Each structure stands twice: as structure tokens, then as C-alpha cells.
């Protein structure tokens, strides 16, 4: 019997027929479908897509022999190369294909077109997150109930319901199981905790972090304590994050290299007195105006260099506002004293009205509280400041 005479497997015949059917309407415009027909077509195609996906994954789960024939590591790797999809997407499909074999109820729901691929992932993940102490019967009831909910809820809402599924199908063990699940989740979150920083080369550093939900919630509370309606939420949180780092007390941080954790700004004395120039903040080049702003706080130690790059000043104590002085300024000013600004005093920085490099004094009379934004404007040579009768300071753009 030749290869052409071998009976075609029904699954292969279905795939070929489907391909042929799709080609038969490939050039037909959909514009002339009536609204009711479009509605029926879209819903039918959505169900068919779920059914087709389940069939594809069912075949993929058994395709290790195909991978072996092509010397691929697994069927997902072969599929990625053969269909030009990403390796990540192929691995995800292979993983889901394997999971569907272990969850026949969800697979059957996909075959019926009542559960789509995204919902199937959520259902399987929700059931698999249950602890080993949950018996098979309860697991099956949970899976069945989530499949029923899939007829009403999208994957995002279904995932939320999946976290509470035991409250519905096994309320007697739900509370204990929830506690165990939360402990496992929190432990996994701590193990995955990470923070990456990459400098873009344009004065901006991109920070990407993975932190436990509890830490993220705490950070959100801190950042949203000061919300500015004048900018977007992401911009407001970004600015608040910068201010939060600048007001951290280094005395409460762990020792680093045998000394208190300290950030040092290195700047030539002549540059410190001038309007233009640059300085070094650790390994980062910053403007002289930014260095002068940072020098107003006790969180940054200025290393002022002479003509031969010899240290002239390494953060003299009298240069900084003490905790007592800052407390007095908070009581006196109450908020950022820039005209119209409502940023509270706890988020503000102490600013020398007369720069230390020009003979300014570190005392209450020569200081004012400014938020980070207005503190930067105070050291920006493009602006001048005028004191108002109210005690506020008005900023003017120089002409």
C-alpha cells in the first residue's frame, strides 16, 4: 500500500478540511454581512477557536516523536522553528498542552467551545495552587465550578474568583487552606524579589523591580500620601519616589564598607561658586546646580576640592541643618513655601537662602522649606526668587 493509499486519520482530515474551508472564504469581504450575521459569525468563530486550540494542544502534547525526528529538544522547540513563533510562546503552549492532559474537565470545556485558552490557563493555575491536602474530589468540584464561571467572567475576573474557590466548594477547609496558600505565595515572592537598574545614557536610570505585594502596597501608600492633580499618577508617584529616597535618614541604614552609608558629591570649589559646571555623585556626572541643591541636605556629603583636587571640605557639620533645625522649620513653614505649593513639610527639603559657598549660614533665619521640585528651581539659574509679604517665595523665569 502506497503512502497515498494509507487512510487519512480523522484529525488530519479535519485540519485539511478546515484549511480548505478557510481558503474558500479568504477573499470574501465581510462588509455585506448583516449585523445579526456578523454577531453570530463572531461568536461561532470564538467557540471554534477554542475548540481548534484544544485540538492543536492535544496533538502537541503527543508530538515528542516529531521533535525526535527533527532532533529538536521538544515539540515546543520544533513548533517555534516550524511556525516562526517565539520560543517562549511555544513553551507556554507545550506546558498548557501537558496541563490539559492532567485536567480533562478543562480540556473537555475547550473542546465544547465554552472555555477559551486564557481562561483554561487560569482554571488550571487556580486548581494547581491548592495544597496537596485538598482531596481529588474537592479539586474536581473546584475545577468544574470555575468552568461554569468561565461562561460569565473574563480571565482576569476568573483569576480573582479562583483564589476564593474553596470558599464556595469546601468552606469548611477554605480558611486554613487560604492561610497556607498565602504563606506559599509570600515565600515565593520573597525568593523572586529583585531590583535592576540600567542607565539609559540620557540622565535617566530605568528601575525594574519585583517585590512582594505587601511591600508594593506599603510603597504605594507612601507615594500616594502626596498626590498632585496637576500631573499623571505615574509621574506623581515617580516624583514622590525620588523625594522618598532623598529624605531617608542615612543614620538608620546599615553600615557600608565599615562606615555609615553615605553618598558623596565631589565638586571643585570654583564650580560650586559658579552658575555652570559639573560634579560627581558617586559615579554619575550631575550639574553644579543639582550639586548645590543636594548640598542643602544632610543626606549628601559634599567633598569640595581645591585647585589641585585636594579636599577642602568634607561635609562640615555646621553646613547641614540639624534635626532640631529641620523640626523647627517644619513647625514654622508647615509646607513648601513656594507660592501656591501645598506639598507638606515632611516631604520638603531645607534650603539655604544664601548659598553656603557664598557665605550663607546654617540657621533658621537663612533657611526655608521647599519641595524637591521647587528646591531644584531655587538652584536653577533660569529662575529668581522674591519673598512675598505672606512669607512665601515667588519664582520668576529670568528674561
Amino acid at each position: 500500500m502506497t503512502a497515498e493509499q494509507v487512510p487519512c486519520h480523522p484529525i488530519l482530515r479535519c485540519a485539511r478540511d478546515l484549511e480548505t474551508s478557510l481558503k474558500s472564504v479568504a477573499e470574501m469581504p465581510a462588509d455585506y454581512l448583516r449585523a445579526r450575521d456578523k454577531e453570530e459569525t463572531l461568536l461561532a468563530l470564538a467557540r471554534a477557536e477554542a475548540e481548534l486550540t484544544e485540538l492543536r494542544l492535544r496533538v502537541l502534547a503527543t508530538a515528542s516523536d516529531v521533535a525526535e525526528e527533527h532532533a529538536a529538544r521538544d515539540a515546543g522547540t520544533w513548533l517555534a522553528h516550524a511556525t516562526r513563533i517565539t520560543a517562549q510562546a511555544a513553551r507556554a503552549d507545550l506546558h498548557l498542552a501537558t496541563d490539559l492532559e492532567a485536567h480533562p474537565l478543562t480540556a473537555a470545556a475547550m473542546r465544547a467551545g465554552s472555555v477559551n485558552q486564557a481562561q483554561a490557563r487560569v482554571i488550571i493555575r487556580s486548581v494547581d495552587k491548592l495544597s496537596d491536602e485538598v482531596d481529588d474530589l474537592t479539586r474536581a468540584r473546584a475545577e468544574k465550578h470555575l468552568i461554569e464561571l468561565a461562561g460569565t467572567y473574563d480571565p482576569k475576573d476568573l483569576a480573582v474568583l479562583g483564589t476564593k474557590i474553596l470558599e464556595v466548594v469546601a468552606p469548611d477547609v477554605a480558611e486554613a487552606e487560604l492561610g497556607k496558600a498565602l504563606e506559599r505565595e509570600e515565600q515565593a515572592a520573597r525568593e523572586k524579589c529583585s531590583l535592576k537598574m540600567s542607565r539609559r545614557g540620557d540622565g535617566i536610570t530605568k528601575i525594574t523591580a519585583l517585590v512582594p505585594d505587601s511591600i508594593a502596597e506599603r510603597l504605594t501608600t507612601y507615594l500616594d500620601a502626596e498626590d498632585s492633580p496637576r500631573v499623571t499618577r505615574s509621574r506623581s508617584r515617580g516624583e514622590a519616589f525620588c523625594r522618598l529616597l532623598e529624605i531617608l535618614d542615612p543614620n538608620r541604614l546599615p553600615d557600608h564598607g565599615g562606615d555609615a552609608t553615605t553618598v558623596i558629591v565631589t565638586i571643585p570649589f570654583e564650580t560650586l561658586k559658579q552658575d555652570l559646571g559639573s560634579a560627581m555623585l558617586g559615579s554619575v556626572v550631575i550639574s553644579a546646580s543639582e550639586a548645590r541643591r543636594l548640598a542643602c541636605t544632610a543626606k549628601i556629603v559634599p567633598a569640595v576640592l581645591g585647585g589641585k583636587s585636594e579636599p577642602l571640605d568634607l561635609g562640615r557639620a555646621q553646613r547641614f541643618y540639624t534635626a532640631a533645625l529641620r523640626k523647627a522649620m517644619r513647625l514654622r513653614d508647615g509646607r513648601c513655601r513656594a507660592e501656591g505649593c501645598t506639598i507638606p513639610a515632611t516631604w520638603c527639603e531645607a534650603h539655604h537662602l544664601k548659598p553656603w559657598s557664598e557665605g550663607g549660614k546654617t540657621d533658621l533665619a537663612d533657611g526655608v522649606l521647599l519641595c524637591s521640585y521647587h528646591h531644584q528651581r531655587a538652584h536653577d539659574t533660569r529662575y529668581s526668587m522674591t519673598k512675598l509679604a505672606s512669607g512665601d517665595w515667588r519664582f520668576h523665569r529670568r528674561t
Side-chain angles (χ1 to χ4, degrees), residues 234-245:
S234 60
R235 169 75 179 274
S236 176
R237 284 180 173 174
E239 293 177 345
F241 182 65
C242 294
R243 285 190 288 273
L244 179 63
L245 292 180

Side-chain angles (χ1 to χ4, degrees), residues 28-42:
M28 288 186 181
D31 309 54
Y32 301 110
L33 279 170
R34 295 175 301 174
R36 183 179 303 171
D37 292 340
K38 290 178 182 177
E39 177 182 345
E40 183 177 346
T41 299
L42 289 172

Side-chain angles (χ1 to χ4, degrees), residues 267-279 288 292:
I267 184 170
F269 182 67
E270 290 302 318
T271 302
L272 184 66
K273 296 191 297 181
Q274 297 170 1
D275 291 337
L276 300 176
S278 63
R292 284 192 290 272

Side-chain angles (χ1 to χ4, degrees), residues 205-372:
T205 295
K206 180 179 180 181
I207 300 176
T208 305
L210 291 175
V211 297
D213 286 343
S214 58
I215 299 299
E217 185 64 22
R218 175 185 288 191
L219 181 60
T220 299
T221 301
Y222 292 164
L223 301 185
D224 288 351
E226 175 210 329
D227 193 12
S228 173
R230 296 170 294 181
V231 297
T232 63
R233 172 60 62 86
S234 60
R235 169 75 179 274
S236 176
R237 284 180 173 174
E239 293 177 345
F241 182 65
C242 294
R243 285 190 288 273
L244 179 63
L245 292 180
E246 289 193 344
I247 64 173
L248 285 177
D249 183 358
N251 293 322
R252 302 188 65 181
L253 297 177
D255 287 351
H256 184 68
D259 196 2
T261 301
T262 305
V263 179
I264 298 178
V265 173
T266 306
I267 184 170
F269 182 67
E270 290 302 318
T271 302
L272 184 66
K273 296 191 297 181
Q274 297 170 1
D275 291 337
L276 300 176
S278 63
M280 293 294 296
L281 176 63
S283 61
V284 178
V285 181
I286 61 174
S287 67
S289 61
E290 177 70 356
R292 284 192 290 272
R293 183 186 72 84
L294 294 175
C296 284
T297 79
K299 311 302 184 296
I300 302 293
V301 173
V304 182
L305 305 179
K308 296 182 180 180
S309 296
E310 297 174 347
L312 297 179
D313 174 66
L314 198 58
R316 288 182 294 174
Q318 65 268 25
R319 177 173 187 163
F320 300 136
Y321 283 96
T322 64
L325 275 174
R326 289 196 299 273
K327 184 180 296 183
M329 292 173 74
R330 287 199 296 269
L331 291 172
R332 182 194 65 187
D333 294 341
R335 59 171 174 80
C336 170
R337 293 313 300 262
E339 182 183 23
C341 189
T342 58
I343 300 302
T346 52
W347 284 88
C348 291
E349 303 165 357
H351 170 63
H352 289 82
L353 291 171
K354 184 176 182 180
W356 174 88
S357 59
E358 298 176 10
K361 299 178 180 179
T362 305
D363 56 24
L364 194 59
D366 196 46
V368 65
L369 288 184
L370 295 175
C371 67
S372 178

